[in-house]
Amino acid sequence: MPSRTATRAAAPAGPPPLVRSAGIAAVGMATPSGVVHNDAISQRLGLPDGWIETRTGISERRHAGAGERLTDLAAEAARPALRRAGVAPGALDLVLVATTTPDDLLPNAAPLLADALGADAPGAVDVGAACTGFVGALTLAAGQVEAGRAEAALVVGADMMSRVVDPQDRNTSVLFGDGAGAGVGTARPADGRIGPAVLRSDGGAAELIRLPRDGWLDMAGQDTFKHAVARLTEASHEAVELAGRRLDDIDLFVYHQANGRILRAVGERLGVASDRVVDCIGSYGNTSAATIPIALCEAVAAGRLYPGAHVLVAAFGAGLTWGATVIEWGRA
């Protein structure tokens, strides 16, 4: 009986066929109108003035009101991204929503978002990777576009973390806020290129960050800090190497906005000057899956991203999960 190796079809001669590139055509963001300053939290928890900002880099965050829905916030972020990209909702082939806090367990947020935007029956999937969710979803969307299975994909990171955080827990209530950010992925050359991605996990350390079905978010702060710094540093090196570049080639580093101390520690380990690392956590807090696209929007608005710029994005979150990729910025 012939072996599987013997019966396998011979590989075609020559290099493997090239896949097309996927890039980010545009980004958008939205936050609730309710602003919560540090003073209000400090008074509630009995913390001294300046304690929160010194330890986290956060001065304020946005919290959604009782009647606000995650799907509406996601749509508010998606609409300007689609408009800037010149992509009609009806042209979307895929809608991915990275979130830990959907309005309901079912239906998922993605099909509701697609309907709210007026999309024409696209594939719609929620991605559950906590704070790493946007990086994971972006990688999945890029693969679909590169393979020719989708022409245009909407990727949204959206979370209302204020609804899962114990107001009396000083480890978490000082950190988290609500927000949404979106990116539109296409195969158009002018939209740049999303590079090879690093996606990793370690379920053996899952107890460090947990959200029980009927409880509050629980996080082992110091251990999580150590893991986040180590994994973000490792993933940065891996992603840059996969992209065929060096750290010096990266124009901007956009990390998950978890804590100002983490941003500084990762930059120091990499030997990257602080002016090359986006730090916008002071105005928004940790918005989980929304931090990366919000940070990209802030960078675009500040003129820090321009056609041809190379930006490294990386995130770390519960699971444990982490990931990174290098994006060659297009016209967005």
Side-chain angles (χ1 to χ4, degrees):
M1 181 176 178
S3 67
R4 290 186 180 181
T5 302
T7 58
R8 185 180 298 151
L18 295 175
V19 296
R20 60 184 182 171
S21 296
I24 297 180
V27 290
M29 62 170 282
T31 57
S33 58
V35 179
V36 180
H37 297 282
N38 284 347
D39 290 348
I41 298 177
S42 296
Q43 292 173 12
R44 184 176 70 235
L45 298 178
L47 300 173
D49 291 343
W51 189 93
I52 296 175
E53 188 162 6
T54 299
R55 286 161 177 76
T56 68
I58 300 168
S59 58
E60 62 185 36
R61 71 286 293 148
R62 272 67 172 172
H63 284 180
E68 295 185 80
R69 291 178 59 81
L70 181 98
T71 303
D72 296 333
L73 192 65
E76 189 178 341
R79 289 189 182 101
L82 290 167
R83 184 176 63 253
R84 292 166 189 151
V87 174
L92 289 171
D93 301 300
L94 181 65
V95 174
L96 299 180
V97 176
T99 186
T100 301
T101 58
D103 296 311
D104 299 293
L105 289 177
L106 290 176
N108 289 160
L112 296 180
L113 173 60
D115 181 68
L117 295 173
D120 186 16
V125 180
D126 281 13
V127 176
C131 298
T132 313
F134 184 83
V135 174
L138 183 66
T139 299
L140 295 174
Q144 292 292 100
V145 172
E146 290 166 349
R149 293 171 180 257
E151 294 298 320
L154 174 67
V155 181
V156 175
D159 270 307
M160 290 183 172
M161 298 301 294
S162 64
R163 296 181 176 173
V164 297
V165 169
D166 181 355
Q168 300 304 318
D169 181 1
R170 61 195 268 172
N171 289 325
T172 56
S173 63
V174 303
L175 289 173
F176 290 96
D178 304 338
V184 180
T186 78
R188 299 180 303 210
D191 295 332
R193 181 175 183 270
I194 300 167
V198 176
L199 292 177
R200 302 282 185 263
S201 68
D202 177 12
E207 291 299 314
L208 292 180
I209 311 172
R210 296 190 69 252
L211 176 58
R213 185 178 293 273
D214 297 317
W216 299 114
L217 178 70
D218 180 63
M219 184 169 64
Q222 191 58 35
D223 287 338
T224 298
F225 176 91
K226 293 176 181 177
H227 273 274
V229 172
R231 301 311 178 213
L232 286 171
T233 303
E234 292 170 6
S236 297
H237 282 297
E238 283 190 74
V240 168
E241 184 176 352
L242 283 173
R245 301 196 173 273
R246 302 171 303 166
L247 287 173
D248 288 345
D249 298 324
I250 305 302
D251 298 292
L252 201 62
F253 294 79
V254 176
Y255 290 110
H256 166 51
Q257 306 286 297
N259 184 309
R261 291 171 55 233
I262 291 176
L263 297 174
R264 290 192 295 273
V266 174
E268 289 169 1
R269 286 204 182 186
L270 294 174
V272 174
S274 60
D275 62 357
R276 294 169 63 199
V277 179
V278 173
D279 182 352
C280 61
I281 193 171
S283 300
Y284 304 106
N286 182 345
T287 55
S288 191
T291 70
I292 295 287
I294 286 177
L296 289 173
C297 286
E298 289 281 310
V300 169
R304 302 176 73 183
L305 283 176
Y306 45 85
H310 291 92
V311 53
L312 180 139
V313 299
F316 171 90
L320 298 176
T321 58
W322 61 97
T325 187
V326 174
I327 300 170
E328 181 178 340
W329 208 250
R331 63 186 178 117

